[in-house]
Amino acid sequence: MVGASGTWKWSGLGCYRPGWFQVWVAALLGFCSAIAGPAPITIAPAVVAVRSASAQQFTVAVGATSGPVVWSVNGVVGGNPALGTVTSNGLFTASVSNPGVPLMVTASITNPIASSSATVGWQNPLPALVSLMPATVNIGNFTVIINGSGFVPGAQVTLNGVAIPATTLSSSQISFQATLTNAQSANIVVINPAPGSSASHPLTLKVVPPIAVQVSPVAFSVRLGGSQALTSTVANALDSSVVWSVNGTVGGGPDVGWISTNGVYSAPATQIPTNSVVVTATSTVNPAVSASAVVTFLNPVPVIQSMSPGILPLGSQAISVTGIGFVPGSQVVCDGTPLPTTFVSPTLLTAGLNILANPAGALGFQVLNPAPGPTNSALWVQPIAVASPKVSYLAAARFLEQAAWGPDAATIAHVQAIGFSAWLDEQMACPISWNAPSSDTSNNLNPQQSDFIYHALTGPDQLRQRVAFALSQVFVVSALKTGQPRQIVPYQNLLLNDALGNYVDLFRDVTLSPTMGVYLDMVNNDAANPVTGTAANENYAREMLQLFSIGTLLLNPDGTPQLDSNGQSIPTYDQPTIVALSRALTGWTFPGPTILLGHNPENYTGPMQAVDANHDSGAKTILFSQVLPAGQGAAADLEAVVQAVANHPNVAPFISLRLIQHLVESNPSPDYLARISQVFTQTGGNLGQVVRAILLDPEARQADDPTVTPNPNSGHLREPLLYTINLLRAFYGQVSIPHNVIALGQVMGQQLFYSPTVFNYYSPLYQTSGGLPGPEFQLVNSATSLIRANSVYELITKQLNGAVSFDLTPLTSLASSPSDLVDAVDHALLYGRLPIEMKGLILNALRATTDPVLRARTAIYLVATSAIYQIQH
């Protein structure tokens, strides 16, 4: 490859530097010519100087050859604007600006391989003077602008042969100041510096006695497209009228701006080659007498009129911004971040950005015009979305409310891109985010509570974390009795491990958990001792039926009670069944060394261990009159109990109902429950498949259609922990370690791990005052309702005294447009379902402040504390 001179490049011949390479080639060709005869190619002229932007024709003499002549400049075929270009016929055109490197034009042939080069010296252009503004000046100090061409930085102006300070304004204008004390005609010459130093022909500046003409203001700034009034005063003349001109043109023109007969200057709408013009008032009596004002242009106020694509797809994206008032150097800014921007025209900019999903579902754009007079456009809001989504934004967000600890923008986008089923497949295969092991015997669960919040907030295994929490509210243990970290951690990890497995394994593992054994008194629960008067403890036997598996009444698959011939509901068990089960579950102690008698010391690192000597080995009659024969050991009796309970037909509707209530809605229809019970039965209690069926059921997905009015009896109240973590995830909340996020749940009535009873934080049977099932509403009263609102304020506004942080940039960038901000918060929390009446009320509240952060927090607070958000539909 061949690059610019002065850099190393690689070719088939190895690493070389272009100048050295050409010397080597020339030497090689010379050697070859000494053997083979005359050089096969010769370029003429061999040395030449070419001025800026001028052309030079090269010719080439070529011997016998079958290949074409290839022209290059410094090794670049055809050259380029920076070095100069050369046509296929050898016409070289010099670059406008000094290339800064030696130039060599080369003609090459391939048959035989040969080349010939010419050395080109670049020279500054010849300056040419066209006019002076003004052409006549008064005695004294004056300023003149020389109009012409070929001016370069460093050009020198001479007045009557004396060099004077000058400023090169552009290639066509030079400004200088001088002082003459007598009337005369002065010669003006412009001399360009080396390389190719040259002088222009002179222009004559006429110096006359002063008919005093004054212009006010003598210098001012005006925005492109704006205007400014000037006044003129003519002294020492009977006629005080003047002729106004701009850059020497009476009345001005579209490229320099217009000046009216009464002195109102109107700047051009778009930028001109220079950043200033001269407005001149010339005496009508003596046109040689004038006064001038220098006008400096400020960039216009940009206006965005449209943007494409109309909806910005996620990922790397090129955008086009259409509007007015754009100038070279205009910058497109997105959510406060400048983007790489290309100025195409005063009405078109292009930019590139990598679009990530954000809670607002939109990006705020502005165009910033640079100095002079930097200014920005009004806010332009453009929606963003997943390209070719498999499911809608609303559907994906609702799905994640049910299947995760709440949606965030990135996960919503991912679900939209791959669909529900594929997301569930990913989650089923996702590695488990375990709780950190602990041997701590204190009653301080703060680290474990923080660990739980962290996994719920950031864990990739969102489905497992959510289902495990639901199961923890069915298979309840409470830190009120088992509050040591060494007790809670193994039990929480047990639920995580079994959350998407088979119910029978979960039921068995819970039954053998030392933590559950302590909580419901199964550990060290020995057979009855007539001598001491002890009997087997019935706590676990009762709760395993009432709360963990079959409930108290026989159920149909749709959850409705079975009725006897008298129309009465049928109990699932009686007291003798409980007694028999408690006997069957005796003889278990803490894990540890194998022992034949007695009890192991406390240990929670594995399942409980059987000690047959402590087990009631008599015959027992358990569910469905199943008889456990005498002489069986503790392990055989326990497994028989596990299988009998897990295979009970009540388990399918009972457990399915609990999972539906925790994940989707408190009041599912009988048909919904029947469909899930059927999946439970057909899969042998595969909880992963049951959860999949719950989440994909038509009743769960019905409200995914925005045209469908949600059933007012569907959904469920967001319980405190779910409420808090949903808000954190919605705005990418981050928590410090340690933090007191868990305290929010506690003050709202749900202290993590500290269920007040074996029935959970709230009863699964609780009904609202209207008689509808609504378990979470048991935590709501006048006090906790106020606390819920205060908790949102503590979280969003005070950020728990620095323990929590949110990136609200997607919202604060829209805050200058309250209606767009409200739409963004609606998008983040309600997925476009905020009623129009509520939008109006929130807009009125936002107008009380102009602070962007306060506006964003206020909008979040008002939506998050509304009933329409607190009740998840």
Side-chain angles (χ1 to χ4, degrees):
M1 296 180 63
V2 178
S5 177
T7 59
W8 292 97
K9 301 293 175 182
W10 287 94
S11 76
L13 297 174
C15 179
Y16 69 96
R17 195 175 186 182
W20 297 353
F21 177 77
Q22 292 155 352
V23 172
W24 177 81
V25 170
L28 178 60
L29 292 176
F31 172 78
C32 293
S33 66
I35 298 174
I41 181 169
T42 306
I43 192 171
V47 178
V48 68
V50 183
R51 290 196 180 275
S52 165
S54 297
Q56 170 68 44
Q57 181 65 56
F58 288 95
T59 60
V60 64
V62 180
T65 177
S66 61
V69 176
V70 177
W71 292 87
S72 60
V73 181
N74 280 21
V76 179
V77 175
N80 59 37
L83 298 172
T85 61
V86 61
T87 69
S88 60
N89 295 322
L91 180 63
F92 172 77
T93 302
S95 59
V96 174
S97 301
N98 191 340
V101 295
L103 299 176
M104 184 172 288
V105 175
T106 302
S108 305
I109 60 175
T110 59
N111 186 14
I113 297 175
S115 64
S116 180
S117 300
T119 301
V120 178
W122 187 92
Q123 295 185 338
N124 279 319
L126 296 173
L129 307 190
V130 175
S131 65
L132 302 175
M133 289 195 312
T136 300
V137 297
N138 296 323
I139 292 173
N141 186 34
F142 54 86
T143 298
V144 175
I145 293 179
I146 306 171
N147 293 313
S149 62
F151 303 155
V152 298
Q156 180 69 63
V157 174
T158 64
L159 174 63
N160 291 334
V162 177
I164 57 175
T167 301
T168 302
L169 302 177
S170 71
S171 63
S172 61
Q173 285 192 334
I174 293 180
S175 173
F176 72 87
Q177 287 186 329
T179 302
L180 293 175
T181 59
N182 59 309
Q184 57 180 290
S185 294
N187 283 336
I188 305 297
V189 174
V190 172
I191 303 171
N192 272 354
S197 176
S198 58
S200 71
H201 65 275
L203 283 184
T204 299
L205 176 66
K206 188 174 183 180
V207 183
V208 298
I211 293 177
V213 177
Q214 292 183 329
V215 172
S216 179
V218 296
F220 61 91
S221 298
V222 63
R223 290 200 180 275
L224 294 173
S227 62
Q228 171 71 43
L230 292 88
T231 58
S232 64
T233 303
V234 179
N236 303 321
L238 295 176
D239 185 354
S240 61
S241 64
V242 296
V243 175
W244 291 95
S245 61
V246 183
N247 277 15
T249 302
V250 175
D255 293 334
V256 294
W258 301 92
I259 186 86
S260 67
T261 56
N262 62 350
V264 177
Y265 173 76
S266 299
T270 58
Q271 198 171 42
I272 64 173
T274 62
N275 193 45
S276 64
V277 295
V278 175
V279 176
T280 302
T282 302
S283 171
T284 305
V285 175
N286 186 352
V289 179
S290 62
S292 298
V294 177
V295 183
T296 301
F297 295 122
L298 303 178
N299 282 321
V301 177
V303 177
I304 300 176
Q305 295 176 324
S306 66
M307 185 179 294
S308 64
I311 297 178
L312 301 178
L314 303 184
S316 182
Q317 184 64 43
I319 61 172
S320 297
V321 181
T322 303
I324 57 175
F326 304 154
V327 298
S330 289
Q331 186 91 53
V332 178
V333 177
C334 175
D335 281 357
T337 300
L339 303 179
T341 305
T342 299
F343 171 81
V344 179
S345 73
T347 60
L348 178 62
L349 301 174
T350 61
L353 72 162
N354 184 33
I355 301 173
L356 302 176
N358 71 40
L363 295 173
F365 291 89
Q366 290 180 297
V367 170
L368 175 64
N369 274 354
T375 185
N376 57 269
S377 70
L379 179 70
W380 180 272
V381 179
Q382 197 79 352
I384 62 176
V386 173
S388 304
K390 288 184 169 56
V391 296
S392 71
Y393 176 83
L394 170 61
R398 288 191 67 252
F399 177 78
L400 289 170
E401 283 190 322
Q402 299 162 353
W405 277 96
D408 60 55
T411 312
I412 292 172
H414 184 56
V415 172
Q416 284 190 270
I418 68 173
F420 299 143
S421 185
W423 186 85
L424 288 171
D425 290 341
E426 285 184 350
Q427 288 291 297
M428 299 288 182
C430 188
I432 300 175
S433 300
W434 299 106
N435 297 290
S438 176
S439 58
D440 187 358
T441 60
S442 72
N443 287 312
N444 177 19
L445 291 178
N446 288 340
Q448 286 67 43
Q449 291 170 327
S450 293
D451 210 22
F452 180 95
I453 294 295
Y454 177 78
H455 291 315
L457 191 60
T458 65
D461 54 337
Q462 281 287 298
L463 179 67
R464 184 180 296 274
Q465 294 287 331
R466 179 69 187 278
V467 173
F469 181 63
L471 293 173
S472 75
Q473 297 185 82
V474 177
F475 298 88
V476 175
V477 299
S478 175
L480 293 175
K481 186 174 182 181
T482 54
Q484 298 174 4
R486 65 168 180 165
Q487 296 171 321
I488 286 294
V489 170
Y491 191 73
Q492 294 300 313
N493 283 339
L494 179 157
L495 296 176
L496 286 171
N497 185 68
D498 292 349
L500 303 175
N502 286 316
Y503 170 81
V504 66
D505 296 329
L506 169 65
F507 186 69
R508 181 187 300 108
D509 290 345
V510 167
T511 300
L512 290 176
S513 165
T515 305
M516 179 62 78
V518 169
Y519 184 60
L520 290 181
D521 305 313
M522 182 176 153
V523 70
N524 297 333
N525 179 29
D526 297 337
N529 187 333
V531 175
T532 61
T534 61
N537 191 289
E538 300 174 4
N539 276 0
Y540 184 73
R542 179 174 288 103
E543 307 307 351
M544 71 181 289
L545 297 183
Q546 180 181 356
L547 299 176
F548 301 169
S549 59
I550 64 176
T552 57
L553 301 176
L554 287 180
L555 302 174
N556 295 307
D558 64 1
T560 57
Q562 295 185 24
L563 303 178
D564 61 18
S565 58
N566 296 320
Q568 299 298 312
S569 55
I570 305 170
T572 54
Y573 59 87
D574 55 18
Q575 179 59 24
T577 303
I578 297 299
V579 172
L581 286 173
S582 66
R583 291 173 54 216
L585 298 177
T586 55
W588 294 89
T589 188
F590 291 101
T594 300
I595 57 176
L596 300 178
L597 191 66
H599 302 144
N600 279 329
E602 279 193 76
N603 182 10
Y604 299 89
T605 58
M608 289 190 293
Q609 183 173 309
V611 181
D612 285 336
N614 298 333
H615 177 62
D616 185 333
S617 59
K620 304 104 179 167
T621 301
I622 58 173
L623 296 172
F624 296 122
S625 301
Q626 178 180 346
V627 176
L628 304 184
Q632 287 195 148
D637 271 1
L638 182 139
E639 185 60 26
V641 169
V642 167
Q643 293 296 333
V645 173
N647 290 319
H648 193 289
N650 256 36
V651 172
F654 186 87
I655 296 299
S656 296
L657 174 61
R658 296 295 181 266
L659 289 174
I660 291 172
Q661 288 181 316
H662 282 292
L663 300 179
V664 177
E665 58 181 331
S666 298
N667 186 33
S669 70
D671 288 343
Y672 183 9
L673 182 53
R675 291 190 293 270
I676 305 308
S677 296
Q678 184 179 25
V679 172
F680 191 105
T681 301
Q682 290 175 344
T683 63
N686 185 312
L687 296 177
Q689 295 306 311
V690 169
V691 168
R692 180 187 291 268
I694 289 172
L695 296 172
L696 298 182
D697 190 85
E699 188 165 320
R701 304 271 58 83
Q702 180 181 13
D704 289 352
D705 184 348
T707 65
V708 174
T709 301
N711 180 350
N713 296 331
S714 68
H716 64 91
L717 177 71
R718 299 180 200 268
E719 58 193 281
L721 287 172
L722 192 61
Y723 186 37
T724 302
I725 296 173
N726 270 209
L727 281 173
L728 283 164
R729 284 180 57 81
F731 300 106
Y732 293 117
Q734 295 184 334
V735 295
S736 61
I737 302 296
H739 60 77
N740 55 347
V741 172
I742 203 67
L744 294 182
Q746 180 179 351
V747 296
M748 287 187 274
Q750 190 175 34
Q751 185 179 6
L752 180 63
F753 302 144
Y754 287 86
S755 173
T757 71
V758 73
F759 293 94
N760 188 24
Y761 304 101
Y762 44 82
S763 170
L765 305 179
Y766 184 81
Q767 295 184 345
T768 65
S769 57
L772 291 175
E776 296 87 355
F777 276 96
Q778 190 174 18
L779 300 180
V780 177
N781 53 46
S782 57
T784 58
S785 295
L786 179 60
I787 290 172
R788 286 172 78 95
N790 289 341
S791 296
V792 174
Y793 179 82
E794 290 287 336
L795 187 67
I796 300 298
T797 300
K798 299 181 70 174
Q799 299 183 32
L800 297 182
N801 297 320
V804 173
S805 63
F806 297 94
D807 180 8
L808 298 182
T809 302
L811 302 180
T812 56
S813 65
L814 307 181
S816 62
S817 174
S819 61
D820 288 312
L821 174 58
V822 174
D823 286 343
V825 175
D826 175 21
H827 182 87
L829 296 180
L830 292 173
Y831 329 122
R833 298 175 296 173
L834 186 65
I836 189 66
E837 298 83 2
M838 281 190 63
K839 284 189 177 182
L841 295 173
I842 295 172
L843 281 173
N844 288 337
L846 297 188
R847 293 189 180 102
T849 179
T850 58
D851 180 80
V853 174
L854 184 54
R855 276 186 169 180
R857 290 173 174 172
T858 300
I860 294 171
Y861 173 82
L862 293 175
V863 173
T865 55
S866 68
I868 194 172
Y869 178 76
Q870 293 194 59
I871 298 177
Q872 175 184 315
H873 281 288

